[in-house]
């Protein structure tokens, strides 16, 4: 039975920002402080700053030449030079202080030496070639304004203008408390070669500290607390006394979150529980001892989005950064440059949930496409690999291919030099990306299977595909399929290598599988590949030959999209066998029973052969270092 | 006589980059190092990084429910539930490790409790609701590539994937040595209320340290060295032994630079002397003990440009950042977003010199304009005030108004909310900017005199002007001039206040000036204002009344563009008197002889009254705090 609660649940981000900013409206004033200018860079001024001195504080010579009285030069010209005694003038380097008795400087080019005197060839008005005091700024001048951030030139100018301290918003003292019995400290995690099942590394503090640092904030990281309510309660209470902002990293299990909310409720006022964002949905906030306490969900991507969307806007609000919650959040994610794109693939978004997707982008025939990398809350790699973030509004449900999507870039992809690959998965191809980048280009990869790649190519949705598709009628590879998809376009084929396909089984082959027919035994659990994958086509052909209906294969409907994923299922005992390439078996130390050898071909429309990314790809196929690595992987034969 | 030198002089920036990158081509390899992941953020990887472990490293439940054998659920449906003994299943929280004997998880929603057993309402295939091991990344997978920067998500992922250290380019150890007898340490500078003429604060190290920090580098700052060649020589030599990169801050005088180059030449190989950039022209580089040594010119803006254009590209090149010299330099200046603008005013650039101008921008009637702030090498304020930087190529000479200029933004101005003011200078107006900003808008100011403001308004080059122009015939203010300039347009007038104009003289009035006629005496040096300034118009009217020809006024042709600048000339003894407003005299503690009172009016085309910047300006005129400050300044009377 649901308990009645006295706080809002599952609110929108906009509601969350309103609650936070309203609850802590008086908080920023607490951080106003005069600090030494040398510490002030990156802080925001709370008041206008006025120069205390003229800069420069003296009149100086603007040239190399003679300081003199302008009146002494009256009537001088090249034809009628005036002679001035050495005592009535003084040599000046550029920047030297003008003597009090002088009011002008004669450029050395307008003078000559004559018997210890100086000949003057030019008549000067007063102030000639004098750099006035206060040329940079004058005493009393406003040199920086309330609301501005102290920048490198400002801090230098403050010093010159005689300013020792400036009024700024100090940075809040922030603490992060990781919690959870299953969480392993970084040191232990790295020390143990094999970790127990059910455990996870305390990795979020690394992300939090690095992200806050990028945003100009520090954070203290506490030791991991166990799931003991009394300990958590005491610790959180203590931290709210010592710190301005407290972040609690909760375990991801539901039971634990209940734990935390009960403590929040006991110690203070829960502000909200659950935000309609994905990832990051279980985020919560409270006010304890007057301080903001935010609970970050445990999955890495949930922590990331909750940190960007809730914690950073809060910290920025406290320190005088202007902007609404959304712009502060995107800024915190390093994603403040927006690029218009079209969805390359359909995407389903949950109803009523604002989804923060990690997007990769490519430019094809003048159109910028984007597609989401895996959206799981525990998948951090997608964030590292993404170009930016797309925020799908709560109203978004089914987003069709071609839907206009704004991608907020976290980095600047060099799209004209990036080729997009779609097609059959191969670990050797992953190794090719670095050689391509060394050639000044880039390759983005989508693993969609051989058939998917050719179909994408025919729709103009990639620059290159790869296929190893067996036609069971002709017993030839690729020909039939390329003919079917390439209607009217000239597609070039590049045979990269032959690969050995076979049965991947657990180490030591405990189920005693030696032939394909063994695979079809009733008690063998198979890990299958997705429809359209070349390996799936091969599997279905082999089944047909064997005369075994697919319904008799256990696990036939459980599909993986890469060789490594399928092999990993075998490795972890979720399956007994899969069909795949030798390199996948080798990488995981699994046994391998060879079945056949197949050609792996790149397919490239002729119009793209000059594309910088494709040119680099074709060149990289001859890269010696890459070929050496492929040979070491095993199961490949060069064409 | 010029000495023959064995190094290039006055080269272009492109030549300088080529020399630096060629000379130190092997240098980056020296910085390759394996470092702890917790230290790695912001470093660039020198090799691909491969996951050492599966993440997650175990198969986990993706839901709350019961782990069981999928085969035990065969045939289950809501109509035909299957009963499983509690011993044959186990409760799982989301994320918990799947027991070895189980191969699927039943969602709690598909189950019911029954006499200590579990009723199963759904038949599950193997792997149902199981989050496979390696869902994030798999052991052996490349998770980050050579040339990529380590980001917050990557560092967290490294830990999860069992990676303790990563191969990166370490940051060079860099040192800055300020030199010069005239340079005063920061502590002394701030301690002394009045500094000797000819001295300058050691402010460049603040700029250098803060800028390098923004770019991800640290620098050690040494004490100031005196201009003693032996000391400099020993110190530089010692530093090249201890550091990877040595920066020497030279005094600005020519003699001192000769000093430094001689030491460079003696200790190693001078790479170049003088770069055709403005500011920053005297920059030099050498290779001493195999290390790069760069001499930064002393003026703050010269230091800034040489640091961005030479030092930062060098440091970035050493640490694996990709890009040519120019993109690295603009990146270092924080100016990597480009905005197309048109020059608001004509600008003369030196022949053969690449000029780095500090630009301010405004949006008027849909067109983005930019104009350079003062271009002096010693003027740091302009950099703090600028929106960005325009790089005028060496070929640029006379750039006409309307010339297309790319501004590389250092910050993002909110142009639709920024109004541009051109017109008469007044210190009270400077105080108005902060109240305008508090109202969410902005005001950019160009001080061009009353006439200049009205002319700019008539050309559509600003949103608001200010004038106090006396017509000697009608003895009225502004009417005649506004009529002349506003042809066909409706201009609204806002009388802000009356100001007292008078004669500003040195403290104690040593020349005994009491009336305007005294000003016209032969031996009085006057500091004048620019033609078109309201104060200049007033001065010329008064001269005419007095019957004194302007040729008899000493200093008549020496013009200042603001009241404060003119008053500062008096304050520093360069002039005996100027005409100006009381607040300028008061600010500098000068004596003031009132002459007349004049209206100060804002002039705003009707079409701009809804402009957010103008609306905020008009509202701010009633700001109580501002009015209080203006009243305190003295010499103003509200209309």
């Amino acid at each position: 039975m649901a308990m009645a609660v006295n706080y809002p649940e599952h609110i929108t981000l906009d509601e969350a920002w309103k609650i936070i900013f309203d609850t802590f409206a008086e908080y920023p004033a607490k951080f106003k402080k005069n600090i030494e200018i040398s510490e002030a860079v990156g802080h925001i001024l709370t008041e206008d700053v006025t120069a205390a001195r003229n800069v420069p504080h003296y009149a100086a010579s603007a040239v190399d030449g003679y300081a003199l009285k302008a009146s002494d030069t009256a009537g001088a010209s090249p034809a009628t030079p005036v002679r001035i005694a050495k005592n009535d003038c003084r040599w000046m380097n550029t920047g030297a202080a003008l003597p009090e008795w002088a009011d002008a400087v004669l450029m050395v080019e307008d003078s000559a030496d004559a018997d210890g005197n100086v000949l003057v060839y030019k008549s000067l008005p007063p102030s000639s070639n004098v750099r006035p005091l206060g040329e940079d700024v004058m005493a009393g001048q406003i040199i920086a304004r309330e609301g501005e951030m102290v920048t490198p030139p400002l801090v230098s100018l403050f010093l010159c203008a005689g300013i020792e301290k400036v009024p700024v918003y100090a940075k809040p003292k922030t603490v992060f408390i990781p919690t959870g019995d299953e969480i392993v400290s970084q040191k232990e995690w790295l020390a143990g070669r094999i970790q127990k099942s059910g455990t996870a590394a305390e990795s979020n503090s690394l992300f939090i500290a690095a992200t806050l640092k990028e945003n100009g904030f520090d954070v203290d990281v506490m030791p991991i607390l166990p799931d003991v309510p009394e300990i958590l309660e005491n610790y959180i209470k203590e931290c709210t006394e010592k710190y301005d902002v407290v972040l609690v990293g909760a375990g991801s299990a539901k039971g634990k979150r209940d734990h935390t909310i009960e403590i929040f409720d006991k110690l203070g006022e829960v502000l909200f529980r659950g935000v309609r964002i994905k990832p990051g949905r279980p985020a919560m906030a409270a006010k304890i001892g007057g301080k903001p306490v935010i609970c970050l969900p445990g999955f890495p991507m949930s922590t990331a989005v909750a940190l960007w969307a809730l914690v950073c806007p809060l910290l920025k609000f406290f320190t005088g950064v202007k902007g609404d919650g959304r712009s502060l959040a995107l800024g915190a994610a390093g994603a403040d440059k927006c690029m218009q794109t079209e969805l390359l693939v359909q995407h389903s978004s949950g109803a009523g949930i604002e989804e923060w997707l990690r997007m990769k982008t490519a430019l094809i025939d003048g159109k910028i496409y984007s597609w989401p990398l895996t959206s799981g809350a525990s998948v951090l790699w997608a964030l590292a690999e993404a170009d930016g973030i797309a925020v799908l509004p709560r109203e978004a449900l089914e987003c069709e291919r071609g839907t206009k999507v704004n991608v907020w870039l976290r980095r600047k992809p060099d799209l004209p030099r990036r080729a997009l690959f779609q097609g059959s998965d191969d670990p050797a191809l992953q190794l090719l990306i670095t050689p391509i980048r060394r050639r000044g280009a880039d390759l983005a990869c989508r693993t969609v299977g051989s058939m998917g790649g050719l179909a994408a190519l025919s729709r103009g949705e990639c620059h290159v595909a790869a296929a190893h598709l067996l036609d069971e009628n002709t017993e030839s590879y690729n020909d039939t399929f390329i003919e079917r998809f390439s209607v009217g376009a000239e597609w070039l084929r590049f045979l990269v290598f032959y690969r050995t396909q076979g049965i991947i089984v657990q180490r030591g082959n405990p189920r005693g599988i030696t032939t394909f027919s063994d695979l079809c035994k009733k008690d063998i659990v198979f890990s299958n590949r997705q429809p359209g994958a070349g390996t799936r086509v091969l599997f279905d052909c082999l089944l047909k030959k064997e005369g075994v209906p697919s319904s008799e294969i256990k696990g036939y409907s459980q599909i993986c999209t890469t060789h490594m994923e399928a092999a990993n299922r075998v490795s972890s005992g979720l399956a007994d066998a899969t069909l795949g390439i030798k390199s996948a078996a080798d990488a995981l130390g699994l046994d391998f029973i060879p079945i056949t050898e197949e050609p792996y071909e790149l397919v490239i429309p002729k119009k793209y052969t000059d594309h910088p990314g494709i040119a680099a790809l074709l060149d990289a196929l001859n890269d010696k270092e890459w070929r050496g690595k492929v040979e070491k992987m095993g199961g490949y034969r060069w064409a």
Side-chain angles (χ1 to χ4, degrees), chain A residues 188-246:
Chain A
E188 271 180 82
W189 182 262
L190 291 174
R193 177 68 199 87
I194 297 155
Q195 290 292 339
K196 273 195 298 187
S197 288
T199 58
E202 197 293 275
S203 62
N204 285 342
S205 65
L206 285 176
F207 180 85
I208 292 170
T211 301
L212 290 184
K213 196 175 175 193
E214 280 187 351
N215 281 278
F217 301 103
D218 289 326
V219 63
D220 288 348
V221 176
M222 295 292 119
I224 302 158
L225 293 194
D227 286 320
V228 179
E230 296 70 36
I231 296 180
L232 285 177
E233 184 182 327
N234 286 332
Y235 211 83
I236 291 172
K237 189 162 179 289
E238 232 171 79
C239 281
T240 56
E241 283 156 11
K242 285 190 207 152
Y243 288 91
D244 300 311
V245 175
V246 178

Side-chain angles (χ1 to χ4, degrees), chain A residues 16 65 80 100 119 129 145 157 177-178 210 231 286 331 382 397 405 409 425 443 452 459 464 522 614:
Chain A
T80 60
E100 281 205 1
L119 282 187
N129 299 318
R145 292 186 182 275
L157 186 58
I177 314 169
I231 296 180
L397 292 169
V405 165
L409 294 176
D425 163 53
L443 188 72
R459 290 191 304 263
V464 48
K522 284 244 160 123
I614 295 299

Side-chain angles (χ1 to χ4, degrees), chain A residues 231-408:
Chain A
I231 296 180
L232 285 177
E233 184 182 327
N234 286 332
Y235 211 83
I236 291 172
K237 189 162 179 289
E238 232 171 79
C239 281
T240 56
E241 283 156 11
K242 285 190 207 152
Y243 288 91
D244 300 311
V245 175
V246 178
L247 311 178
V248 180
S252 54
K254 188 147 195 295
K256 286 182 193 165
R257 290 201 295 274
D258 285 337
H259 233 43
T260 316
I261 195 100
E262 275 164 23
I263 294 167
F264 282 9
D265 208 21
K266 192 169 167 194
L267 290 176
E269 175 196 353
V270 175
L271 299 176
F272 57 80
R273 177 192 196 180
V275 181
R276 284 196 246 153
I277 44 173
K278 180 188 170 189
R281 197 165 177 166
M284 314 187 275
K287 183 181 183 176
I288 299 174
K291 310 285 180 71
V293 180
I294 294 186
C295 176
L296 300 168
F299 278 138
M301 265 315 301
S302 308
T303 288
V305 174
L307 188 76
W308 296 333
L310 297 174
V311 179
C312 290
L314 185 83
L315 290 173
K316 291 182 176 203
F317 171 69
F318 288 171
T319 52
V321 181
K322 294 226 174 66
D324 57 13
R326 190 162 295 280
S327 65
L328 294 178
L330 285 169
D336 45 7
K337 292 164 291 290
C338 181
M339 184 166 76
Q340 276 232 339
T341 71
E342 284 188 22
L343 271 188
L344 184 72
V345 292
Q346 184 270 357
H347 175 80
S348 305
S349 190
I353 296 283
E354 175 178 314
E355 196 171 6
W356 288 47
L357 289 169
R358 283 73 75 203
M359 307 297 283
K360 190 97 182 171
T361 59
L363 173 72
I364 303 170
D365 295 339
K367 205 176 257 185
I368 301 176
Y369 291 97
S370 70
W371 62 97
L373 302 174
T374 46
S375 57
S378 68
V379 177
L380 200 50
W381 173 82
L383 177 58
E385 175 73 7
D387 296 321
I389 289 166
V391 178
L392 299 188
R394 296 194 309 279
E395 314 77 85
L397 292 169
E398 290 303 304
C399 303
E400 295 307 315
R401 182 193 302 244
T403 302
K404 296 249 188 299
V405 165
N406 284 335
V407 175
W408 297 89

Side-chain angles (χ1 to χ4, degrees), chain A residues 503-510 513 570 576-578 590-593:
Chain A
I503 304 168
I504 298 171
V505 296
Q506 284 165 25
R507 198 176 312 190
N509 197 357
I513 298 165
V570 176
D576 298 310
T578 187
L590 300 172
D591 280 15
F592 183 76
I593 302 114

Side-chain angles (χ1 to χ4, degrees), chain A residues 397-455:
Chain A
L397 292 169
E398 290 303 304
C399 303
E400 295 307 315
R401 182 193 302 244
T403 302
K404 296 249 188 299
V405 165
N406 284 335
V407 175
W408 297 89
L409 294 176
R410 280 167 51 84
R411 61 181 170 207
K412 235 188 192 167
D414 186 1
L415 294 185
R417 304 188 62 79
R418 173 186 283 177
L420 174 55
F421 166 97
Q422 296 210 56
S424 169
D425 163 53
D426 191 285
L429 193 84
Q430 292 302 318
L431 287 177
L432 198 58
I433 296 176
T434 299
I436 290 170
R437 290 199 184 166
R438 284 188 189 155
R439 286 162 173 79
D442 195 13
L443 188 72
C445 288
R446 294 197 72 231
T447 300
V448 297
S450 296
M451 205 85 88
L454 295 180

